[in-house]
Amino acid sequence: MGTRFFYALLFTIVFGCIEPYEFVIKNDAPTLVVEGFITDISYNQSKAYPSDGRYFNVKLSYTSDVTNKRGEAVTGATVQLVSNEEKGWLYNEVSGGEYVLQNEDFAARPGVKYKLLISISDGDTFESEWLGLPEVEEQEMGEISFKELSKEVYEIVAGEKKVRTVEGISLQVDIPKNEGHEPRYYKWHTEPIWEYTVPLRPYVNKTCWIRSNTYLSSYTLQEDYVGGYSNSLFFMETHGNERLFERFSLLVRQYLLSKEDYYFFSELQEQATSGAFFDKPPYNLKTNISSVESNKKVVGYFWIASEQARRWYFDIYDLSYPVNNHLLEECLKPYGPPAMGEIDPCKDCLGYPNGTPSLEKPEWWIR
């Protein structure tokens, strides 16, 4: 065990990742996959959450029945957002298949319709339906809190499924009362970041801030008619979870969706979490993207939402029970030196294996 950190695999079972899009394609011809969204919060507005800021992006790739997963990135495309007010915004390609709307002030506006236009290098063009923000009464996002609880989780040990009871916390978001009693369609997504300090001296780099696109990456949905209650977003184990040994923070983004968008994500989540690809005959998820001048297949989804967010901080001393930081004892075990080219995470935080480490402390970080 070159890195000495046996816990790198531990949380893969407990906290799985839902792939955003996995469509069943009934032939092996390459099919364009489109992923993208916009909201009523601009890049500059999103920095005030606080956060580093978020641009809107569109991801383009090809898939086929061979893998049923995203494959080759679509490069060299032209991606544009247009409105029914005859305005347009171009996306810039920043990496293979990822196109970013690098406008710090752009945000979707109520009453305006938007359409995504895509031209790929072989001359084919695609477009989304005209879409607008959901027509709902604006309400302030509810408070974030947690409650302690225990639950049973499944683990695979020596090829056998076993059950163990774990202690942890359930993160809650308050849903305000729905005075109009018209349905509200919520989607929550979290962006974690945590502080990691090496346990051994002499150290090379002592403290890093860690981000991850896979930890707590699943989203939560809720169809609400009355409000006035707390809704659980996820469960996070506390014992043995090195992400909580220092300071931990989440940016909780809340989206108000249209009914159509809500049921798209509900179906997507059902397929991803219930094994629907194996339990039911293959079928395609809904798409609101179409080819303009040909019969070429395209799948994916472009959506628009009303967005709010809150930043939440957590410290293990907020718990009613102690949590042991076991990193020092693990680093002192005789696993041997790191493998050639590996960074020792016991002495250099840039070697941390369960996320992307950075020596730069976020300017909004509270400590």
Side-chain angles (χ1 to χ4, degrees):
M1 298 183 62
T3 65
R4 306 181 183 178
F5 279 14
F6 70 92
Y7 52 81
L9 182 61
L10 176 59
F11 298 96
T12 303
I13 299 172
V14 180
F15 301 103
C17 170
I18 294 180
E19 279 294 317
Y21 296 84
E22 292 187 10
F23 294 87
V24 175
I25 309 302
K26 297 179 180 178
N27 59 61
D28 59 1
T31 301
L32 181 67
V33 178
V34 180
E35 310 170 40
F37 75 102
I38 58 174
T39 77
D40 55 355
I41 295 296
S42 69
Y43 171 88
N44 280 333
Q45 289 172 317
S46 71
K47 293 185 72 174
Y49 283 151
S51 76
D52 295 332
R54 178 265 307 117
Y55 289 112
F56 301 116
N57 69 354
V58 169
K59 294 182 180 179
L60 303 179
S61 59
Y62 287 118
T63 191
S64 72
D65 195 33
V66 176
T67 63
N68 189 35
K69 293 182 182 288
R70 285 192 299 267
E72 178 186 357
V74 178
T75 60
T78 299
V79 181
Q80 184 180 19
L81 183 72
V82 297
S83 75
N84 60 354
E85 297 180 328
E86 298 184 349
K87 294 182 179 180
W89 301 266
L90 278 173
Y91 289 70
N92 298 319
E93 186 173 7
V94 296
S95 61
E98 182 178 3
Y99 300 80
V100 176
L101 182 59
Q102 293 175 321
N103 183 314
E104 295 183 349
D105 297 313
F106 172 80
R109 296 193 295 112
V112 180
K113 298 294 184 181
Y114 300 89
K115 177 187 287 191
L116 190 67
L117 303 177
I118 301 167
S119 298
I120 59 178
S121 57
D122 64 5
D124 287 313
T125 57
F126 304 86
E127 65 180 17
S128 73
E129 300 172 1
W130 283 105
L131 303 169
L133 288 167
E135 298 179 0
V136 292
E137 181 183 352
E138 186 71 21
Q139 286 184 303
E140 186 178 355
M141 180 178 174
E143 296 291 331
I144 305 293
S145 61
F146 75 91
K147 65 178 181 180
E148 300 174 5
L149 56 84
S150 299
K151 67 181 296 185
E152 293 184 339
V153 298
Y154 292 96
E155 292 183 346
I156 306 298
V157 180
E160 295 184 5
K161 181 184 289 187
K162 295 190 176 182
V163 179
R164 70 182 179 98
T165 301
V166 300
E167 286 187 300
I169 60 173
S170 173
L171 193 72
Q172 315 279 320
V173 59
D174 291 342
I175 296 181
K177 287 186 177 181
N178 186 350
E179 303 292 351
H181 298 290
E182 291 294 322
R184 288 175 173 264
Y185 301 98
Y186 291 97
K187 178 177 184 277
W188 293 277
H189 182 264
T190 59
E191 299 173 13
I193 180 172
W194 59 94
E195 194 173 341
Y196 168 71
T197 300
V198 296
L200 291 185
R201 296 172 181 267
Y203 54 80
V204 180
N205 293 298
K206 182 180 180 181
T207 300
C208 286
W209 284 263
I210 315 296
R211 303 174 192 267
S212 173
N213 293 325
T214 57
Y215 185 62
L216 301 179
S217 61
S218 301
Y219 55 83
T220 303
L221 299 170
Q222 180 71 9
E223 182 178 4
D224 172 72
Y225 286 83
V226 295
Y229 59 92
S230 293
N231 192 64
S232 178
L233 299 184
F234 62 82
F235 174 82
M236 181 167 57
E237 187 173 351
T238 50
H239 294 293
N241 188 347
E242 87 288 345
R243 301 167 182 89
L244 306 182
F245 293 165
E246 302 287 337
R247 190 78 161 152
F248 180 88
S249 180
L250 281 173
L251 181 65
V252 181
R253 295 186 186 269
Q254 174 179 285
Y255 302 105
L256 275 173
L257 306 175
S258 68
K259 181 178 180 179
E260 294 75 17
D261 293 350
Y262 174 85
Y263 281 106
F264 166 80
F265 284 109
S266 180
E267 182 180 356
L268 177 65
Q269 190 177 64
E270 179 185 352
Q271 290 197 25
T273 58
S274 67
F277 287 129
F278 303 99
D279 298 339
K280 304 175 184 178
Y283 63 94
N284 284 322
L285 288 166
K286 175 185 176 182
T287 179
N288 58 7
I289 314 288
S290 60
S291 175
V292 176
E293 299 173 342
S294 70
N295 294 322
K296 291 208 172 175
K297 290 188 176 181
V298 57
V299 294
Y301 207 76
F302 182 68
W303 51 285
I304 300 181
S306 178
E307 176 185 349
Q308 296 186 63
R310 286 185 182 272
R311 178 161 295 283
W312 175 74
Y313 288 93
F314 177 76
D315 193 294
I316 56 173
Y317 298 107
D318 297 332
L319 296 170
S320 65
Y321 55 85
V323 172
N324 177 49
N325 183 338
H326 64 273
L327 297 185
L328 178 59
E329 58 190 84
E330 288 302 319
C331 284
L332 291 175
K333 289 182 179 179
Y335 292 129
M340 183 67 68
E342 263 188 352
I343 300 175
D344 186 353
C346 293
K347 295 183 178 181
D348 189 339
C349 64
L350 291 177
Y352 179 85
N354 289 340
T356 303
S358 171
L359 293 171
E360 184 176 354
K361 178 181 178 180
E363 60 183 25
W364 42 261
W365 188 260
I366 297 176
R367 185 64 176 180

